[in-house]
Amino acid sequence: NPTTASRNEVKLNDDRVFDCYSTPVLSPNGDCYGRIWSFRDITQRKQTEARLRKQAEREQLLGEMNQRIRQTLNLEEVLNTTVEEVRQFLACDRAIIYRFNPDLTGTMVVESVSKEWKSILKEQIQDNCFHKTKAPYFRKGGIRVVEDIYNAGLHQCYVEMLEGFQVRANLMVPILQKDQLWGLLIAHHCRQPRKWSTSSVKLLRQLSVQLSVAIQQAALFEQLAAELRERSAAEAALRKSEATLIQQRTKLEAALYQLQQTQLQLIQTEKMSSLGQLVAGVAHEINNPVTFIHGNISHAEHYAHDLLQLVQLYNQHYPQPVEEISKFAKDIDFHFLVKDFPKLLKSMDMGADRIRQIVHSLKNFSRLDQAERKAVDIHEGIENTLMILQHRLKPAAANIKLVKNYGHLPPVECYAGQLNQVFMNILNNAIDALEEYDRELSADKPKRDRSTITISTEIVNYCSTESFSRDVAQNFQSVIIRIADNGPGIPEELRQRIFDHFFTTKPVGKGTGLGLAISYQIVVEKHGGNIQCLSEQGKGTEFVVEIPL
Ligand SMILES: Nc1ncnc2c1ncn2[C@@H]1O[C@H](COP(=O)(O)OP(=O)(O)O)[C@@H](O)[C@H]1O
Ligand SMILES: [Mg+2]
């Protein structure tokens, strides 16, 4: 429009820019008869503007990269974004990161390349001339700007390598870790030579510094993570070895327990068999002469009777004996002898009978013949045991009253010899306790109930007894043998340990601490039964042995 003013920018071939302003020149009557053009060279301003814009962009990019590096510990992601951004920002054909190995060979680790050009990712560079000479230079922070590989005075081998990568111009800045050369950040221009602007160089340099930070950060993180992994691995190993230790300890404990049991059993078997053999042997040896004596006593009685009768007859028919006879008769107190002799023989007979009974009990008690389970009369076992303990129960010794409340028991399948051993252990303990209690009390409290041991037996049905809490079939029966004393009782804290091996409160030489441990084993393990201790301090103790039928 010729009547309006206009303004525009004109760009010349030599890159100069002009601000071009034109206004119409009007005659006083309003006719336009010309235009005035004014041109102003604004190249510098335009360049400054562009530079500022570019700088702003660059700063924004750097800021973004910085942000990214702070936010991510994923180095790969950072490197990838960097080459992407570099290529976009510099509008170059390829951006890559080259990483050095310790021996200064290296690999292209990250790449961004435009479609028209080939990828050189993973490309390894062995060529000595590439880095050997350049490395110290790069290590000092030097950069390399090549505008055109053909007239940059490059080594021929280097030019060939770059040709292989289709490179025409390149820009390389070092990525440093402390003062070590980690790698290079490289921009390639492939389509033509390129005059790299200072701002491009500056940008690349700043990015390489940021990359250094990112790499260091990632390395630190990796180190931390590795330490953490190592530590948790160590912890896991520790936990594992702890677990194995505990396992081993449990195994050892079990083995030890097993060993103790076996040892006990050995002791028990050994003791029982040698004692049994001794007893059986002695009983057998005594048995013969005693039978002999016992058998002959009746003959002796007979003979004595006959002899006395003969003397009587002499007396009748020769009432006046010669002096010597009547003197002798007087000397030997013949009248007393006649009365006493049969009595004496009678008591000898009784004695021999008693010996026979004891021998019988001993044989029964040791029961060598019964190594296997057999149905026996429990009461007979108890009686035999009491017989052997006679000497400890009699008035002369402990003066212990014995109370028996035997129920009706069927024959009980058991290892009779071993069960007798149990009764023996419990009864011995009761006698020990009563004797000791008497000794203790006789000083200050001479009057107390007479020492008593009560033995009771009965049959119980499981369903009707609550005291034995075992889940067994309803109509299951057991024999219960209770052996109670009115001794001192056992304090609660000791009661928990009395079945332990070698637990004893008795002086050395008296107690072995094995009696109840062995009894427990015999009753619980051999017979599938139960043994319990009920006790009230000052009142007494009761052992309850249960043998399932
Ligand atoms: N009837 C009882 N009265 C009091 N204490 C008892 C009685 N029976 C067992 N004890 C206690 O149990 C302990 C262990 O008994 P035991 O295993 O037979 O070993 P030992 O008789 O060799 O000591 C005894 O030392 C004793 O303290
Ligand atoms: Mg004992």
Side-chain angles (χ1 to χ4, degrees), residues 316-349:
Q316 261 178 35
H317 297 285
Y318 305 100
Q320 294 303 322
V322 293
E323 178 62 27
E324 196 183 351
I325 291 177
S326 61
K327 185 174 183 291
F328 185 71
K330 209 168 177 182
D331 280 355
I332 63 169
D333 198 353
F334 182 70
H335 288 293
F336 175 75
L337 189 149
V338 170
K339 266 196 283 168
D340 199 44
F341 194 32
K343 282 192 204 159
L344 192 141
L345 283 170
K346 196 94 222 137
S347 75
M348 277 169 75
D349 190 28

Side-chain angles (χ1 to χ4, degrees), residues 498-515:
I498 55 171
F499 292 109
D500 290 353
H501 311 129
F502 307 114
F503 174 78
T504 180
T505 55
K506 293 167 195 173
V508 183
K510 188 129 201 283
T512 60
L514 284 175

Side-chain angles (χ1 to χ4, degrees), residues 375-436:
V376 297
D377 179 0
I378 291 278
H379 294 146
E380 196 186 302
I382 296 173
E383 285 302 312
N384 286 331
T385 309
L386 286 172
M387 170 79 83
I388 286 164
L389 287 175
Q390 247 342 283
H391 68 287
R392 297 203 65 193
L393 294 164
K394 274 201 200 124
N399 190 17
I400 294 169
K401 190 169 111 188
L402 213 61
V403 178
K404 297 175 197 169
N405 299 320
Y406 290 167
H408 286 289
L409 298 185
V412 177
E413 280 266 342
C414 65
Y415 300 94
Q418 293 191 10
L419 221 49
N420 289 345
Q421 179 76 40
V422 172
F423 302 144
M424 177 88 136
N425 290 341
I426 295 174
L427 285 165
N428 256 327
N429 282 345
I431 297 167
D432 282 347
L434 289 170
E435 277 180 348
E436 178 63 27

Side-chain angles (χ1 to χ4, degrees), residues 108-288:
M108 305 296 181
V109 284
V110 187
E111 178 187 56
S112 165
V113 61
S114 64
K115 280 196 288 299
E116 313 86 279
W117 308 98
K118 78 176 203 181
S119 166
I120 58 170
L121 190 65
K122 301 272 164 64
E123 204 68 56
Q124 302 208 348
I125 294 170
Q126 302 289 347
D127 191 351
N128 283 345
C129 71
F130 168 61
H131 53 264
K132 271 279 165 68
T133 46
K134 298 284 175 281
Y137 169 74
F138 281 128
R139 195 174 293 134
K140 279 194 223 104
I143 63 169
R144 185 137 182 89
V145 186
V146 174
E147 292 180 11
D148 184 351
I149 61 166
Y150 297 120
N151 51 45
L154 298 177
H155 240 278
Q156 188 49 33
C157 63
Y158 188 31
V159 172
E160 277 167 18
M161 187 185 74
L162 290 175
E163 270 178 346
F165 294 159
Q166 301 173 319
V167 175
R168 191 67 198 268
N170 71 0
L171 184 58
M172 295 195 280
V173 297
I175 304 167
L176 299 172
Q177 280 299 294
K178 304 215 177 87
D179 43 358
Q180 286 301 307
L181 199 50
W182 184 90
L184 298 170
L185 178 58
I186 306 172
H188 282 162
H189 211 63
C190 301
R191 60 198 113 138
Q192 64 201 40
R194 173 163 176 174
K195 192 168 166 24
W196 302 97
S197 66
T198 31
S199 68
S200 302
V201 175
K202 209 166 158 192
L203 172 80
L204 222 56
R205 197 173 222 161
Q206 279 166 326
L207 278 175
S208 82
V209 171
Q210 289 191 345
L211 281 180
S212 298
V213 173
I215 291 164
Q216 191 169 7
Q217 197 172 283
L220 270 176
F221 177 71
E222 182 44 44
Q223 190 181 334
L224 263 175
E227 267 170 33
L228 209 69
R229 272 199 301 276
E230 223 167 85
R231 194 183 302 174
S232 50
E235 258 170 42
L238 203 71
R239 265 198 301 277
K240 209 173 139 190
S241 72
E242 222 169 276
T244 8
L245 268 181
I246 290 173
Q247 229 176 3
Q248 274 171 348
R249 204 184 62 198
T250 324
K251 267 192 206 157
L252 271 178
E253 275 169 1
L256 183 66
Y257 178 76
Q258 197 60 45
L259 209 66
Q260 278 179 341
Q261 292 296 312
T262 323
Q263 190 191 20
L264 270 180
Q265 200 138 21
L266 269 177
I267 295 173
Q268 158 74 5
T269 339
E270 187 56 28
K271 236 165 92 175
M272 274 308 282
S273 75
S274 51
L275 187 72
Q277 273 166 14
L278 178 74
V279 168
V282 169
H284 181 76
E285 288 305 320
I286 293 173
N287 197 40
N288 280 342

Side-chain angles (χ1 to χ4, degrees), residues 512-528:
T512 60
L514 284 175
L516 289 179
I518 287 172
S519 303
Y520 184 90
Q521 206 184 352
I522 293 173
V523 172
V524 176
E525 280 164 33
K526 280 269 174 155
H527 292 88

